[in-house]
Each structure stands twice: as structure tokens, then as C-alpha cells.
């Protein structure tokens, strides 16, 4: 049986993940894949994970976990282009399997690396530039945002993703800072978003959304970096507030940049 605190953690993470799946799916429908991809990078699943970790771990442990979460985002960056490349010709199940295989391969190497913040930032920046260039060549023109995004379907998939997030992250602090950081950055949200958009709106839309999400993940990197920097000095909860502000600031700047490009 789960304790009251762990049950609360699981419920919050379930609801947070369901919210981001539904929100991103509808934002793609309303605003297009470029905006939807940027919004997919908000730390709506990482935030609750670190909130509950902060309540049961020392500040140095939280900071180290954030450093490994930043490092793990390089594996997330490999998931996105792998899905994009496969989605050009394959269906959702095959593309998802390929994306998760790419994530697992990169993550298996990252877990053996040291976790200084500068290394995580350097590797993340390099992975972002490399994978955006690689994925750009595979994109298809988006001619329509057709497809249905019914509330029932989105809610069901969001809840299922939330159950996965709750199961993976509620006990993650028991695994140590390395595995905790890697698991907290596992692309469960991106997996369900990809599968949902691919089924409902087609390969061109999901490819464009995930291509934008490669850059949108910078919000998660900002969140992890500020969490790692601030937790030992400000305490985990104050650091969480600063990290969330940093993440939303990055997302706001990316949205402003996208809007300027569209003008």
C-alpha cells in the first residue's frame, strides 16, 4: 500500500501528465504544430516530480538529481528525431518503438558520465543543434490539421500516461540520484503526445510538432539547470520556484520568437 504522501504524489503526477497531453494536443489543433511543440517542453511532469523529491531528500541530492535529469534530456533529444525519421514512412507503434529504443541507447551511456552542470549544458546544446539539423531534412509539408481530438480520447490517453508517470517517479528517489534523474526525464509525455498526434492528425503534423519540441525542450533544460544551481543554496522549494520561472521564461521567449517568424 502507498502512504498518504506517496498516493498524493502519484495523483498529482497523474493529473499533471494528463493535463499536458490534453493541452498540447489541443494547442496543436488551435495554433499549429510549431506552437504546440514549444508548449510540449514545459516542465509539467518534471515539476511535480521535483516537488515531491524536495520533500523527502537532502538539497544536495536534489541538485545532483537535477544535473542528471539535464544530462538525460540529451536522450530525450534523440527520441524526438528518431520518431520524426520513422514517422515519415512508419505508423505510430513502429515510430514510438524506434524513438524509445533511441532514448534507451543514449540513456544507457549517459548514466556512466559524471554530472557537472557545465557538461550537461554543453551536451544538451550540442544534441539540440545536431538533432534539429538531422530532423529538418525529413519534414513533410503540413497541408491540414485534420483529424479529431475528442475530449474522451485525449482524457483517456492523458490518464494512462499519468499512471505511467506516477509509477515511474513516485519511488524514483529510492534509486539514487543518477537513476532518479534519468527516470524523471523519461519521455513519457512526449511518447503519448507523439502517438496521439500521429493517430489523429497524421505524420506531417506529428513530425512538425516534434521538430518544434526539440527546441521547446530547452525549457526543461533551463528548469533542470536552475534547480541544480539553486537547490544547495536556497533550499529545494525556493529552487523549484526559481526553476519554474526560468522554464516559463524560456518558453515565453521561444513563443515570441516563433510569433516573430510568422509575421
Amino acid at each position: 500500500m502507498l502512504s498518504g504522501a506517496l498516493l498524493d504524489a502519484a495523483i498529482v503526477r497523474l493529473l499533471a501528465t494528463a493535463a499536458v497531453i490534453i493541452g498540447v494536443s489541443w494547442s496543436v489543433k488551435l495554433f499549429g504544430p510549431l506552437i504546440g511543440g514549444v508548449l510540449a517542453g514545459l516542465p509539467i511532469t518534471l515539476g511535480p516530480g521535483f516537488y515531491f523529491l524536495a520533500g523527502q531528500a537532502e538539497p544536495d541530492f536534489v541538485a545532483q538529481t537535477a544535473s542528471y535529469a539535464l544530462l538525460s534530456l540529451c536522450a530525450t533529444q534523440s527520441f524526438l528525431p528518431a520518431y520524426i525519421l520513422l514517422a515519415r514512412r512508419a505508423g505510430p507503434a513502429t515510430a514510438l518503438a524506434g524513438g524509445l529504443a533511441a532514448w534507451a541507447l543514449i540513456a544507457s551511456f549517459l548514466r556512466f558520465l559524471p554530472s557537472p552542470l557545465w557538461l550537461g549544458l554543453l551536451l544538451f546544446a550540442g544534441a539540440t543543434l545536431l538533432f534539429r539539423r538531422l530532423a529538418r531534412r525529413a519534414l513533410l509539408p503540413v497541408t491540414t490539421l485534420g483529424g479529431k481530438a475528442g475530449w474522451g480520447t485525449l482524457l483517456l490517453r492523458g490518464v494512462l500516461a499519468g499512471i505511467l508517470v506516477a509509477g515511474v517517479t513516485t519511488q524514483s528517489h529510492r534509486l539514487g540520484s543518477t537513476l532518479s534523474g534519468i527516470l524523471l526525464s523519461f519521455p513519457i509525455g512526449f511518447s503519448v503526445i507523439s502517438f496521439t498526434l500521429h493517430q489523429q492528425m497524421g505524420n506531417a503534423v506529428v513530425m512538425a510538432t516534434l521538430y518544434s519540441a526539440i527546441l521547446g525542450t530547452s525549457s526543461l533544460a533551463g528548469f533542470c539547470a536552475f534547480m541544480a544551481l539553486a537547490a544547495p543554496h536556497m533550499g529545494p522549494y525556493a529552487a523549484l520556484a526559481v526553476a519554474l520561472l526560468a522554464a516559463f521564461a524560456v518558453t515565453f521567449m521561444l513563443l515570441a520568437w516563433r510569433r516573430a517568424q510568422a509575421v
Side-chain angles (χ1 to χ4, degrees):
M1 295 292 291
L2 288 175
S3 68
L6 293 180
L7 182 59
D8 289 344
I11 292 173
V12 169
R13 291 171 207 183
L14 187 155
L15 294 177
T17 303
V20 73
I21 302 306
I22 294 171
V24 170
S25 298
W26 275 94
S27 68
V28 171
K29 184 71 174 179
L30 293 175
F31 305 114
L34 295 182
I35 299 300
V38 171
L39 294 177
L42 286 170
I44 299 181
T45 53
L46 267 182
F50 274 97
Y51 173 80
F52 287 102
L53 187 64
Q56 47 200 355
E58 295 297 322
D60 287 341
F61 182 93
V62 174
Q64 191 172 12
T65 300
S67 293
Y68 272 108
L70 173 60
L71 200 61
S72 181
L73 288 176
C74 298
T76 299
Q77 294 297 67
S78 72
F79 167 87
L80 297 170
Y83 194 108
I84 290 171
L85 293 171
L86 289 169
R88 188 177 179 92
R89 298 185 181 276
T94 301
L96 179 59
L100 291 176
W103 180 89
L105 178 63
I106 301 299
S108 66
F109 288 103
L110 292 173
R111 63 176 296 188
F112 296 109
L113 294 179
S115 62
L117 189 58
W118 66 267
L119 179 61
L121 289 170
L122 183 63
L123 290 177
F124 177 82
T128 300
L129 293 174
L130 174 63
F131 290 136
R132 271 181 63 84
R133 177 170 294 185
L134 178 65
R136 185 187 300 124
R137 302 174 182 177
L139 295 178
L140 297 172
V142 178
T143 57
T144 178
L145 292 180
K148 298 180 180 181
W151 278 106
T153 301
L154 291 179
L155 182 60
L156 174 61
R157 289 174 179 170
V159 169
L160 290 175
I163 292 172
L164 290 175
V165 169
V168 168
T169 63
T170 300
Q171 298 293 330
S172 64
H173 66 285
R174 298 179 184 272
L175 303 174
S177 60
T178 301
L179 288 180
S180 294
I182 290 174
L183 290 176
L184 284 172
S185 293
F186 183 79
I188 291 176
F190 281 131
S191 297
V192 181
I193 288 169
S194 303
F195 198 89
T196 300
L197 293 180
H198 200 165
Q199 279 194 325
Q200 294 181 341
M201 300 183 187
N203 59 346
V205 171
V206 72
M207 291 165 70
T209 302
L210 295 187
Y211 178 72
S212 181
I214 295 175
L215 196 59
T217 309
S218 300
S219 173
L220 295 176
F223 173 89
C224 293
F226 275 88
M227 195 74 198
L229 283 172
H233 306 291
M234 302 175 60
Y237 289 118
L240 178 63
V242 172
L244 288 172
L245 287 174
F248 278 96
V250 172
T251 298
F252 178 80
M253 288 187 290
L254 290 174
L255 289 174
W257 177 62
R258 288 296 191 192
R259 184 175 181 179
Q261 282 186 319
V263 174

